[in-house]
């Protein structure tokens, strides 16, 4: 009997997604092709199991805009507190909205989606060209299962879309609806401000109406509605959403009653009503007075497609110096802030890192209960103890204080297998071979071990071990002796020397488990240097680490095809120490994931270990790689400025320090090299020799004052300096640069 034929190989998911997207006709195209079942790409495992459905009589509240303002404000505030959703009625008369809106806009969106496939395909694409896009599933390539919808997305603020990019069949109607929906948003924000006891304009004055995105969803008829979803359960990230929906229905809201029971409530369409809901940002700004709740769109057995238009209102001010968080008027010693502050760049970055269903922005920015009770007081008390994290250990603590607890710090990427390690560059090789090896690792990894530097550069065999031992000796002095050196005066106020715990202590959302000595070795006052470190730390930094950095920059210059001195001319040195010991720190970090801002870092570490580097392989998979200490080796890494100066030839990568169960504290000394000329007429950017019409500059020029100002505005984990100075796609153009010498910059490692 013949053996059965093996099953035909199935295309992998990525290939299926690519093929679906490249059809350029969306889910509507699947329906037009005559599918009789839901393709596997769209199947959601048991999508309706998370909570039961509420009885048919349960519905979201209604707010009547024809009521006197105090009553309408009270009703809106009550609904926003208890439900996060409500129907808004009688807005046509109150706000002079034409009676045929939003119906005309909904009909126009339906008309576009029901054009012939070739007409729709001409508009399909994921790039928001001119502020407009038409595609299926914004998170198609990130979500575990695609949803049964197609979408037109239009940006109305802070940058307004080019109207010519909006499909002609619905252009006039959606532009008209934007005007009316904005009037609705303004009225509702006024009511919700009053409901918080604030002036009616309070929320609007924080620019909450200036950022606007209109999302026009089309949910085609589905052959198996029980197997897929229109939109998965999620919360809206913004301030406020104004939703217009047709008569088909499908929206459900997750409501938790006073006894803690959760149910999915059908938001059945109400003629003449809009749906209003609170977003994550409004919950944060209201300090939990208002609630952003989960909602979803389910498919049903209707023989007609469903259409909805949502307008999401967000803050329009997006600069790195503009921070959002609980409104100051709503916090006090009795009602402390429940969330930390953040920029919109950080907020949107956190949102777009995940698929729609896995958003948890509220938790991402929330303080723990004990931190919220009086975090500022706890930080002040910790800092004023003048003994750092080492002092906590000396006090006999058996667990980590909430100030130091990092929520799931190890979830961002998996660990690489133990055999994976950063590359090694051997300084005893002939110069061309060493330069090629250094350049290759700087391109692909951004980190490498450096060996055989002692003999090649005449570094004494007992360095950096002597400097590491001296640093350990200082940190293990009695607390009163350490406290005499403690302070945040920095280079200017402390004679070039300072000792403290966490340079970003009062800015970061969570404190890390380390103490540091910072030394600016460009003329530090010896009197300020702790006696235990006086001889060995300057010897290591001023002489030997500088010699190593000089050799490295010559090799990396050659690797770029430049003369060896092109990146050299180091003029000053800063040495810093991280001292960490954790008796019980499963949720603590030594240093959070970050990139170094400077040109080059030379790191000496002891045998304890803990450094990890985030490496992305050629297939786009990211892993955290342990940088295990190698006897006699230093660790070298590329900083942000070198990535910029090399025009992305070299790579500055994320790294972090994790805690472990060693019974001995970890000690490291990092020396950071950066441009030393910092006047307002001295600019940095891609090296002129590395740019051309074929390889235009990827970054704009900047002064070191601007660069350092950007760095110090945020906590360590939220730096994105590469992106801050990067041209948008297609914006690069050739400029001239004033290239100057490289000297040290202080940073943690």
């Amino acid at each position: 009997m013949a053996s059965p034929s093996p099953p035909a190989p199935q295309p992998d998911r990525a290939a299926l997604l690519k093929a679906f997207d490249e059809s350029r006709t969306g889910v509507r195209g699947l329906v037009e092709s005559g599918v009789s079942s839901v393709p596997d790409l769209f199947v959601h495992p048991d999508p309706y199991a998370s909570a039961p459905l509420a009885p048919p009589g349960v519905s979201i509240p209604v707010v009547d805009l024809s009521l006197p303002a105090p009553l309408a404000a009270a009703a809106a505030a009550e609904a926003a507190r208890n439900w996060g959703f409500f129907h808004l009625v009688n807005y046509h008369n109150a706000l002079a909205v034409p009676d045929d809106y939003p119906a005309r806009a909904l009909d126009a969106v339906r008309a576009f989606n029901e054009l012939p496939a070739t007409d729709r395909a001409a508009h399909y694409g994921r790039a928001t060209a001119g502020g407009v896009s038409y595609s299926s599933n914004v998170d198609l390539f990130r979500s575990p299962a695609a949803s049964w919808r197609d979408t037109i997305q239009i940006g109305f603020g802070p940058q307004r879309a080019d109207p010519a990019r909006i499909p002609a069949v619905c252009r006039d109607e959606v532009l008209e609806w934007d005007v009316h929906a904005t009037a609705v948003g303004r009225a509702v924000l006024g009511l919700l401000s009053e409901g918080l006891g604030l002036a009616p304009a309070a929320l609007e004055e924080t620019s909450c109406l200036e950022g606007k995105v209109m999302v026009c969803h089309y949910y085609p008829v589905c052959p198996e509605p029980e197997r897929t979803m229109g939109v998965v359960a999620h919360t809206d990230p913004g301030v406020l959403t104004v939703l217009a929906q047709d008569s088909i229905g499908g929206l459900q809201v997750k409501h938790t009653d006073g006894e803690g029971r959760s149910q999915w409530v059908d938001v059945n369409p109400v003629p003449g009503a809009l749906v209003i809901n609170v977003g994550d940002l409004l919950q944060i700004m209201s300090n939990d007075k208002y609630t952003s709740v989960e909602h979803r769109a389910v498919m049903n057995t209707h023989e007609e497609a469903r259409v909805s238009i949502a307008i999401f209102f967000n803050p329009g001010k997006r600069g790195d110096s503009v921070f959002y968080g609980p409104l100051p008027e709503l916090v006090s010693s009795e009602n402390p802030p429940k969330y930390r502050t953040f920029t919109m760049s950080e907020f949107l970055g956190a949102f777009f890192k995940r698929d729609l269903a896995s958003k948890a922005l509220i938790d991402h920015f929330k303080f723990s209960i004990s931190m919220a009770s009086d975090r500022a007081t706890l930080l002040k008390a910790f800092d004023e103890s003048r003994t750092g994290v080492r002092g906590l250990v000396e006090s006999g603590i058996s667990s980590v204080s909430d100030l130091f607890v990092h929520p799931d710090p190890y979830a961002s990427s998996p660990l690489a297998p133990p055999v994976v390690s950063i590359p090694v560059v051997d300084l005893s090789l002939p110069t061309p071979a060493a330069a090629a090896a250094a350049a290759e690792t700087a391109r692909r990894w951004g980190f490498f071990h450096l060996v055989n530097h002692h003999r090649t550069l005449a570094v004494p065999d007992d360095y950096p071990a002597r400097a590491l031992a001296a640093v350990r000796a200082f940190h293990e002095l009695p607390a009163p002796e350490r406290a005499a050196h403690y302070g945040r005066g920095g280079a200017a106020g402390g004679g070039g020397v300072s000792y403290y715990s966490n340079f970003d202590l009062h800015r970061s959302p969570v404190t890390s488990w380390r103490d540091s000595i910072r030394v600016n070795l460009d003329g530090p006052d010896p009197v300020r240097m702790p006696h235990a470190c006086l001889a060995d730390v300057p010897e290591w930094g001023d002489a030997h680490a500088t010699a190593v950095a000089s050799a490295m920059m010559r090799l990396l210059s050659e690797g770029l095809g430049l003369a060896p001195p092109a990146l050299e001319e180091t003029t000053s040195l800063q040495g810093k120490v991280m001292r960490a010991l954790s008796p019980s720190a499963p949720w603590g970090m030594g240093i959070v994931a970050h990139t170094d801002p400077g040109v080059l870092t030379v790191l000496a570490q002891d045998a304890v270990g803990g450094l990890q580097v985030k490496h992305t392989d050629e297939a786009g998979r990211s892993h955290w790689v342990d940088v295990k200490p190698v006897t006699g080796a230093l660790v070298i890494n590329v900083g942000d400025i070198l990535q910029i100066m090399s025009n992305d030839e070299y790579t500055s990568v994320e790294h972090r320090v994790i805690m472990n169960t060693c019974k001995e504290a970890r000690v490291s000394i990092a020396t950071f090299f950066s441009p030393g000329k910092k006047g307002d007429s001295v600019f940095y950017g891609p090296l002129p020799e590395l740019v051309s019409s074929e390889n235009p500059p990827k970054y704009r020029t900047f002064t070191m004052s601007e660069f350092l100002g950007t760095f110090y505005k945020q906590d360590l984990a939220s730096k994105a300096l590469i992106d801050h100075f990067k041209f948008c796609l297609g914006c690069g153009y050739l400029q001239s640069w004033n290239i100057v010498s490289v000297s040290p910059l202080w940073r943690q490692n």
Side-chain angles (χ1 to χ4, degrees):
M1 183 191 239
S3 301
S5 299
Q10 297 297 311
D12 63 20
R13 177 176 175 80
L16 291 171
L17 287 170
K18 185 171 183 288
F20 167 71
D21 203 41
E22 291 180 350
S23 74
R24 303 179 65 84
T25 57
V27 177
R28 169 72 176 173
L30 296 178
V31 175
E32 290 169 329
S33 72
V35 294
S36 58
S37 61
V38 170
D40 286 347
L41 289 177
F42 295 85
V43 173
H44 291 248
D46 201 6
Y48 305 105
S50 62
L53 283 175
V58 179
S59 182
I60 63 173
V62 175
V63 173
D64 188 340
L65 214 53
S66 68
L67 292 173
L71 294 179
E78 180 71 10
R81 286 187 183 97
N82 295 330
W83 282 81
F85 267 78
F86 55 88
H87 277 124
L88 184 72
V89 298
N90 288 323
Y91 60 92
H92 288 95
N93 289 338
L95 302 175
V97 175
D99 290 340
D100 54 354
Y101 274 90
R104 282 182 58 183
L106 291 164
D107 289 344
V109 169
R110 182 184 299 278
F112 167 76
N113 282 278
E114 295 176 358
L115 287 172
T118 52
D119 292 353
R120 300 197 313 276
H123 294 276
Y124 195 95
R126 296 195 172 273
T128 54
V132 181
S133 67
Y134 160 59
S135 63
S136 183
N137 287 255
V138 67
D139 58 348
L140 181 68
F141 295 98
R142 298 193 306 273
S143 65
S147 293
W148 200 259
R149 72 177 184 276
D150 301 326
T151 304
I152 304 170
Q153 180 172 307
I154 308 168
F156 284 111
Q159 288 79 42
R160 193 165 178 83
D162 177 1
R165 298 281 190 169
I166 303 171
V169 70
C170 59
R171 182 182 304 145
D172 292 343
E173 290 80 5
V174 297
L175 289 171
E176 179 77 6
W177 177 237
D178 168 56
V179 174
H180 303 310
T182 301
V184 171
R186 178 173 289 107
V188 172
L189 277 182
L191 295 178
L192 293 174
S193 291
E194 291 188 64
L196 292 170
L198 307 175
L203 286 170
E204 185 177 351
E205 287 172 354
T206 63
S207 81
C208 287
L209 290 176
E210 295 174 17
K212 288 188 294 178
V213 176
M214 178 185 287
V215 174
C216 308
H217 288 316
Y218 180 84
Y219 305 87
V221 174
C222 184
E224 295 178 297
E226 73 283 355
R227 300 188 70 207
T228 190
M229 298 287 287
V231 182
V232 293
H234 66 286
T235 60
D236 289 348
V239 174
L240 194 76
T241 304
V242 175
L243 176 74
Q245 60 174 338
D246 63 13
S247 61
I248 303 298
L251 176 63
Q252 293 182 337
V253 170
K254 194 174 189 178
H255 177 60
T256 302
D257 63 22
E259 297 181 1
R261 295 172 301 205
S262 293
Q263 296 179 319
W264 286 107
V265 176
D266 282 313
V267 182
N268 295 317
V270 172
L274 295 172
V275 178
I276 308 294
N277 68 276
V278 171
D280 295 343
L281 270 171
L282 184 51
Q283 178 168 339
I284 291 170
M285 295 172 77
S286 72
N287 209 32
D288 281 355
K289 294 289 185 183
Y290 295 150
T291 304
S292 175
V293 301
E294 281 189 285
H295 50 287
R296 65 187 186 185
V298 300
M299 303 308 299
N300 52 48
T301 57
H302 269 274
E303 296 300 322
E304 188 177 4
R306 176 178 182 254
V307 177
S308 69
I309 302 176
I311 295 191
F312 303 100
F313 292 96
N314 299 285
K317 293 180 179 175
R318 310 255 168 116
D320 287 340
S321 61
V322 182
F323 289 85
Y324 296 90
L327 294 172
E329 302 94 325
L330 301 180
V331 299
S332 64
S333 56
E334 293 76 30
N335 184 39
K338 297 178 172 64
Y339 302 91
R340 67 176 178 87
T341 58
F342 47 84
T343 65
M344 281 303 293
S345 294
E346 182 187 3
F347 185 85
L348 294 173
F351 175 78
F352 284 114
K353 277 179 182 173
R354 305 178 185 178
D355 63 272
L356 188 62
S358 61
K359 307 270 179 256
L361 294 186
I362 292 294
D363 294 336
H364 185 82
F365 296 102
K366 196 163 199 170
F367 289 135
S368 70
I369 294 174
S370 59
M371 289 168 72
S373 63
D374 203 346
R375 177 176 171 81
T377 300
L378 292 173
L379 286 171
K380 186 171 182 287
F382 167 71
D383 206 33
E384 290 180 351
S385 74
R386 304 178 65 83
T387 56
V389 176
R390 170 72 176 173
L392 296 178
V393 175
E394 291 169 328
S395 73
I397 64 167
S398 58
S399 62
V400 172
S401 160
D402 280 353
L403 288 177
F404 297 86
V405 174
H406 290 247
D408 201 7
Y410 306 107
S412 62
S413 292
L415 283 175
V419 295
V420 179
S421 182
I422 64 173
V424 176
V425 173
D426 188 341
L427 211 53
S428 69
L429 291 173
T431 298
E440 178 68 11
T441 58
R443 287 185 178 99
R444 296 184 57 240
W445 281 79
F447 266 78
F448 54 89
H449 277 122
L450 182 72
V451 298
N452 287 323
H453 56 280
H454 288 92
R455 184 167 304 174
T456 308
L457 302 175
V459 175
D461 290 341
D462 54 354
Y463 276 94
R466 281 181 57 177
L468 290 165
V471 169
R472 182 182 299 277
F474 167 76
H475 283 278
E476 294 178 356
L477 287 172
E481 295 183 44
R482 298 198 314 276
H485 294 277
Y486 194 95
R488 297 187 178 273
V497 181
S498 56
Y499 158 60
Y500 50 80
S501 183
N502 288 258
F503 84 96
D504 58 347
L505 180 70
H506 297 284
R507 296 195 306 276
S508 70
V510 185
T511 309
S512 293
W513 198 257
R514 70 177 184 274
D515 300 328
S516 301
I517 301 172
R518 167 193 150 177
V519 183
N520 180 351
L521 289 175
D522 185 16
D525 181 354
V527 175
R528 299 284 188 172
M529 181 77 70
H531 188 268
C533 309
L534 183 58
D536 296 311
V537 170
E539 173 77 8
W540 167 245
D542 226 5
H544 309 310
T546 300
V548 169
S550 175
M552 285 301 94
M553 285 192 274
R554 293 175 71 85
L555 293 179
L556 292 170
S557 290
E558 292 187 59
L560 292 169
L562 307 175
L567 288 171
E568 205 181 344
E569 299 174 342
T570 57
T571 57
S572 64
L573 186 64
Q574 296 176 337
K576 291 201 306 162
V577 177
M578 181 195 70
R579 166 68 162 93
L581 170 65
S582 176
S584 174
W587 296 108
M589 296 288 287
I591 301 182
V592 293
H594 67 286
T595 60
D596 288 349
V599 174
L600 194 77
T601 304
V602 176
L603 175 73
Q605 59 175 338
D606 63 12
V608 174
L611 176 63
Q612 293 182 338
V613 170
K614 194 173 189 178
H615 177 60
T616 302
D617 62 22
E618 293 177 355
R621 296 170 301 209
S622 294
H623 292 83
W624 285 106
V625 176
D626 281 315
V627 182
K628 295 184 173 67
V630 173
T631 303
L634 296 171
V635 177
I636 308 295
N637 69 276
V638 171
D640 294 344
I641 292 181
L642 184 51
Q643 177 169 340
I644 291 170
M645 294 171 76
S646 72
N647 208 32
D648 281 356
E649 288 292 320
Y650 296 151
T651 304
S652 174
V653 301
E654 280 189 284
H655 51 287
R656 66 186 186 184
V657 175
I658 63 169
M659 304 310 302
N660 53 50
T661 56
C662 275
K663 297 299 181 184
E664 187 176 6
R666 176 179 185 262
V667 176
S668 70
I669 302 175
T671 308
F672 303 91
F673 297 86
S674 288
K677 293 186 179 177
K678 300 181 180 177
D680 288 340
S681 62
V682 182
F683 290 84
Y684 297 88
L687 295 170
E689 302 93 325
L690 301 180
V691 299
S692 64
S693 57
E694 292 76 30
N695 183 38
K698 298 178 173 67
Y699 302 90
R700 66 176 177 84
T701 58
F702 50 84
T703 65
M704 282 303 294
S705 295
E706 181 188 5
F707 186 87
L708 294 174
T710 303
F711 174 78
Y712 284 114
K713 277 177 184 173
Q714 303 181 58
D715 63 272
L716 187 61
S718 59
K719 309 273 177 256
L721 296 186
I722 293 292
D723 294 337
H724 185 84
F725 296 102
K726 198 162 200 169
F727 287 132
C728 63
L729 186 63
C731 294
Y733 55 91
L734 188 60
Q735 299 182 5
S736 61
W737 286 268
N738 186 2
I739 302 304
V740 297
S741 62
V742 176
S743 66
L745 163 74
W746 168 74
R747 252 297 305 275
Q748 298 276 10
N749 200 26

Coordinates of all heavy atoms in Angstrom, one line a residue, residues 52 110 225 290 303 349 388 445 456 492 509 543 545 565 712 731 746:
P52 N -18.5 37.8 31.0 CA -19.8 37.5 30.4 C -20.4 38.7 29.9 O -20.0 39.9 30.1 CB -20.6 37.0 31.6 CG -19.9 37.6 32.8 CD -18.4 37.7 32.5
R110 N -18.7 54.7 3.8 CA -19.2 53.4 3.3 C -19.1 53.4 1.8 O -18.6 52.4 1.2 CB -20.7 53.2 3.7 CG -21.3 51.9 3.1 CD -22.8 51.8 3.4 NE -23.1 51.9 4.9 CZ -23.0 50.8 5.7 NH1 -22.6 49.6 5.2 NH2 -23.2 51.0 7.0
P225 N -18.8 35.2 12.2 CA -18.6 36.3 13.1 C -18.1 35.8 14.5 O -17.4 36.6 15.2 CB -19.9 37.0 13.2 CG -20.9 36.0 12.7 CD -20.2 35.2 11.7
Y290 N -11.4 60.3 36.5 CA -12.1 59.7 35.4 C -11.4 58.4 35.0 O -10.3 58.2 35.3 CB -12.1 60.7 34.2 CG -12.9 62.0 34.5 CD1 -12.6 63.2 33.9 CD2 -14.0 62.0 35.4 CE1 -13.3 64.3 34.1 CE2 -14.7 63.1 35.7 CZ -14.3 64.3 35.0 OH -15.1 65.5 35.3
E303 N -26.3 41.3 7.4 CA -25.9 41.2 6.0 C -25.4 42.5 5.5 O -25.2 42.6 4.3 CB -27.1 40.7 5.2 CG -27.6 39.3 5.6 CD -26.5 38.3 5.4 OE1 -25.8 38.3 4.4 OE2 -26.4 37.3 6.3
G349 N 5.6 56.6 22.1 CA 6.6 55.6 21.9 C 6.1 54.3 22.6 O 6.2 53.2 22.1
G388 N 23.5 56.5 50.4 CA 23.2 55.8 49.2 C 22.6 54.4 49.4 O 22.1 54.1 50.5
W445 N 27.4 45.2 16.3 CA 27.1 45.0 17.7 C 27.1 46.3 18.5 O 26.4 46.4 19.5 CB 28.1 44.0 18.4 CG 27.9 42.6 18.1 CD1 28.2 41.9 16.9 CD2 27.2 41.6 18.9 NE1 27.7 40.6 17.0 CE2 27.2 40.4 18.2 CE3 26.7 41.7 20.2 CZ2 26.6 39.2 18.8 CZ3 26.1 40.5 20.8 CH2 26.1 39.3 20.1
T456 N 50.4 46.1 24.4 CA 50.4 47.0 23.2 C 50.5 48.4 23.6 O 51.2 49.2 22.9 CB 49.2 46.8 22.4 OG1 49.0 45.4 22.1 CG2 49.2 47.5 21.1
A492 N 31.0 71.4 38.6 CA 31.2 72.8 39.0 C 31.2 73.1 40.5 O 32.1 73.8 41.0 CB 30.1 73.7 38.3
P509 N 11.3 57.4 37.0 CA 10.1 56.9 37.6 C 10.5 55.8 38.7 O 9.7 55.6 39.6 CB 9.3 56.2 36.5 CG 10.3 55.9 35.4 CD 11.3 57.0 35.5
A543 N 45.5 58.4 32.5 CA 46.6 57.9 31.6 C 46.2 56.6 30.8 O 46.2 56.7 29.6 CB 47.8 57.5 32.6
A545 N 43.2 54.6 30.6 CA 41.9 54.5 29.8 C 42.0 55.5 28.6 O 41.4 55.2 27.5 CB 40.7 54.8 30.7
P565 N 43.9 59.9 12.8 CA 43.6 60.9 13.8 C 42.2 61.5 13.7 O 41.8 62.4 14.6 CB 44.6 62.0 13.6 CG 45.6 61.4 12.7 CD 44.9 60.4 11.9
Y712 N 19.7 65.8 29.4 CA 19.4 66.0 30.8 C 18.0 66.3 31.1 O 17.6 66.4 32.3 CB 20.4 67.0 31.4 CG 21.8 66.5 31.7 CD1 22.8 67.0 30.9 CD2 22.0 65.5 32.6 CE1 24.1 66.5 31.1 CE2 23.3 65.0 32.8 CZ 24.3 65.5 32.1 OH 25.6 65.0 32.2
C731 N 14.3 63.7 4.3 CA 14.6 65.1 4.6 C 16.1 65.3 4.6 O 16.5 66.5 4.7 CB 14.1 65.4 6.0 SG 12.3 65.4 6.1
W746 N 30.4 63.0 30.9 CA 30.0 62.1 32.0 C 28.7 61.4 31.7 O 27.8 62.0 31.2 CB 29.8 63.0 33.2 CG 29.1 62.3 34.3 CD1 29.7 61.3 35.1 CD2 27.8 62.4 34.7 NE1 28.7 60.8 36.0 CE2 27.5 61.5 35.7 CE3 26.7 63.2 34.2 CZ2 26.3 61.4 36.3 CZ3 25.5 63.0 34.9 CH2 25.3 62.1 35.9

